[in-house]
């Protein structure tokens, strides 16, 4: 049985003592034994290993044509000239999702370029070009007091001031949007066989991706298989999940043949899930001895993660915006995990000598 079975839903609530009996080293069965890295031979020999190198029998290639900007909607497209191009197997149009499937990769690239020139888009909004940091401070927001690394619901106390402080130091820090810019653009391979979907992906959450793909296509999660293949990664949330849905949508149009979908560099840089911009304001009041008597820390930012699986019944994919009636983003929910998202590091880790010091940290 597992430790969780033994716990029966309860916490252990036991301190780990220094007098615990340790297992003798001569009785170790795992520690100290050599471990063979299964992928090492492929890596050092230069053999195909990453998803970008994956080749399946009878595999097709595809590309997606993106809108000109985030607020554009597809009005019409003449697919006829593209369908007659050499190697083209299918074109796919689903509301504002537009793509092409071909026998060869370069054929898919050329067909996508031609298809983009035949598409007619209409703007349903404009991009706000005002200063992002000023907007973060002025936007309507939800505010939370952060206590011991966790956001607390309820009224947020005001910024504290010290009437007897010798000096007050203030600072403001700004972080722009962060592009992951993986050295290898996002890639996925998808295959539909008898209403069952298989996806090969370098995504970071296989089971959440599986659940959201099942929701998008209206099938049981048992009919979706997601296989992880190593690929270009990042610290954060890249476009691998979005590419998985792209591939699945395009593969659905061609039946049982597997379809490889690779983002172009322009797709990766323009449409990947950027890291959120942030503003942090900090204020510390010091007494005559230089000790902190009041500390304030406020963080302003958008939601930091819209990964698949956050809400199983929502389309957390780029293509989900284009295949739905509404092109807007899924509404981000505040992260409530310990030191997660916007409020990560907002609660100071310093030990202040003044025991009466209040240390409010706010996540806006």
């Amino acid at each position: 049985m597992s430790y969780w079975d033994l716990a029966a839903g309860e916490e252990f609530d036991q301190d780990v003592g220094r007098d615990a009996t340790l297992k003798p080293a001569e009785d170790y069965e795992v520690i100290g034994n050599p471990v063979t890295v299964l992928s090492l031979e492929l890596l050092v020999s230069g053999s195909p290993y990453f998803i970008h190198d994956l080749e399946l029998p009878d595999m097709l290639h595809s590309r997606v044509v993106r809108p000109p900007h985030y607020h554009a909607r597809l009005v019409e497209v003449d697919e006829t000239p593209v369908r007659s191009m050499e190697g083209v197997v299918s074109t796919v149009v689903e509301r504002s999702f537009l793509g092409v499937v071909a026998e060869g990769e370069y054929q898919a690239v050329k067909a996508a370029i031609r298809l983009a020139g035949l598409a007619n888009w209409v703007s349903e909004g404009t991009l706000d070009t005002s200063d992002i940091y000023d907007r973060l401070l002025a936007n309507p927001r939800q505010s939370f007091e952060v206590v011991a690394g966790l956001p607390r619901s309820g009224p947020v106390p005001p910024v504290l001031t010290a009437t007897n402080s010798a000096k007050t130091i203030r600072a403001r820090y700004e972080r722009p949007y962060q592009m992951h810019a993986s050295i290898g653009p996002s890639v996925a391979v998808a295959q539909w066989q008898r209403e069952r979907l298989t996806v090969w992906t370098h995504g970071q959450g296989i089971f959440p991706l599986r659940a959201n793909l099942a929701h998008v296509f209206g099938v049981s999660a048992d009919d979706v298989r997601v296989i992880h293949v190593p690929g270009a990664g990042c610290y954060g949330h890249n476009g691998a999940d979005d590419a998985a849905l792209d591939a699945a949508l395009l593969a659905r149009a061609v039946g049982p043949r597997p379809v490889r979908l690779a983002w172009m560099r322009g797709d990766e840089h323009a449409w990947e899930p950027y890291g959120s911009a942030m503003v942090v304001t900090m204020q510390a009041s010091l007494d005559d001895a230089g000790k902190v008597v009041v500390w304030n820390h406020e963080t302003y930012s958008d939601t930091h993660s819209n990964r698949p699986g956050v809400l199983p019944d929502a389309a957390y994919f780029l293509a989900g915006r284009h295949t739905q009636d509404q092109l807007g983003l899924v509404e981000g929910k505040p992260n409530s995990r310990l030191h997660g998202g916007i409020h990560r590091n907002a609660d100071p880790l310093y030990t202040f000598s003044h025991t009466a010091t209040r240390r409010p940290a706010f996540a806006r």
Side-chain angles (χ1 to χ4, degrees):
M1 60 171 51
S2 70
Y3 285 113
W4 306 119
D5 294 330
L6 293 171
E10 301 294 330
E11 296 184 3
F12 287 108
D13 195 26
Q14 294 287 331
D15 293 331
V16 178
R18 294 181 178 272
D19 57 348
T21 301
L22 301 179
K23 185 177 183 177
E26 57 268 21
D27 293 338
Y28 290 172
E29 297 179 5
V30 178
I31 297 176
N33 291 324
V35 176
T36 301
V37 180
L38 299 180
S39 60
L40 188 59
E41 182 178 343
L42 295 174
L43 287 171
V44 299
S45 64
S47 301
Y49 171 70
F50 298 103
I51 191 169
H52 301 74
D53 307 314
L54 181 64
E55 292 188 19
L56 299 178
D58 208 23
M59 186 175 72
L60 298 169
H61 295 266
S62 65
R63 287 295 189 272
V64 173
V65 176
R66 303 294 179 193
H69 60 77
Y70 276 70
H71 300 288
R73 178 174 59 84
L74 182 64
V75 177
E76 61 180 358
V77 59
D78 183 5
E79 307 164 64
T80 306
V82 177
R83 288 177 175 173
S84 61
M85 292 179 66
E86 181 182 359
V88 171
V89 176
S90 177
T91 56
V92 178
V93 181
E94 188 172 337
R95 291 189 173 92
S96 291
F97 179 81
L98 184 59
V100 61
V101 182
E103 294 286 348
E105 184 167 20
Y106 187 48
Q107 292 171 333
V109 171
K110 291 191 294 183
I113 294 172
R114 182 76 182 278
L115 194 61
L118 297 170
N120 183 17
W121 304 86
V122 62
S123 295
E124 295 194 332
T126 58
L127 296 176
D128 193 330
T129 58
S130 60
D131 184 84
I132 182 60
Y133 307 116
D134 292 340
R135 287 171 55 198
L136 286 174
L137 296 175
N139 279 344
R141 58 180 176 261
Q142 291 179 280
S143 298
F144 301 89
E145 183 180 12
V146 180
V147 179
L150 290 169
R152 175 187 291 176
S153 59
V156 175
V159 173
L160 298 177
T161 58
T163 57
N164 60 342
S165 63
K167 184 178 183 180
T168 297
I169 303 173
R170 298 178 179 86
R172 169 172 159 171
Y173 303 93
E174 300 171 345
R175 190 191 88 157
Y177 288 107
Q178 299 292 314
M179 179 190 294
H180 298 101
S182 295
I183 192 170
S186 300
V187 170
V189 179
Q191 183 177 26
W192 285 91
Q193 294 175 302
R194 298 186 181 92
E195 304 303 319
R196 295 175 64 89
L197 171 64
T198 302
V199 173
W200 291 261
T201 174
H202 57 120
Q204 297 172 328
I206 297 305
F207 288 100
L209 174 60
R210 175 192 182 211
N212 269 163
L213 286 173
H215 167 71
V216 169
F217 291 107
V219 300
S220 168
D222 293 336
D223 292 326
V224 179
R225 184 186 182 196
V226 178
I227 302 172
H228 182 267
V229 183
C234 67
Y235 185 80
H237 178 196
N238 62 10
D241 299 319
D242 300 307
L245 178 58
D246 290 343
L249 288 168
L250 295 167
R252 187 172 57 174
V254 296
R257 296 182 68 178
V259 174
R260 177 183 183 270
L261 179 282
W263 280 14
M264 303 292 284
R265 178 59 62 185
D267 296 325
E268 191 75 28
H269 285 359
W271 292 94
E272 66 143 78
Y274 277 58
S276 298
M278 302 179 70
V279 173
V280 176
T281 61
M282 304 177 75
Q283 177 179 308
S285 296
L286 313 177
D287 62 15
D288 291 332
K291 303 293 185 180
V292 175
V293 293
V294 171
W295 175 277
N296 289 280
H297 180 133
E298 294 186 277
T299 301
Y300 300 80
S301 180
D302 291 323
T303 301
H304 278 227
S305 179
N306 272 346
R307 291 178 183 272
V310 178
L311 290 177
D313 58 348
Y316 283 94
F317 298 102
L318 173 59
R321 310 177 204 169
H322 302 148
T323 57
Q324 305 299 317
D325 292 326
Q326 300 296 324
L327 299 183
L329 296 169
V330 174
E331 181 182 355
K333 303 296 182 182
N335 188 324
S336 60
R337 296 194 299 271
L338 179 68
H339 290 296
I342 300 170
H343 62 277
R344 177 176 291 170
N345 301 323
D347 198 30
L349 301 180
Y350 310 112
T351 299
F352 295 109
S353 59
H354 196 303
T355 56
T357 298
R358 291 181 62 197
R359 303 188 302 269
F362 305 138
R364 303 294 194 183

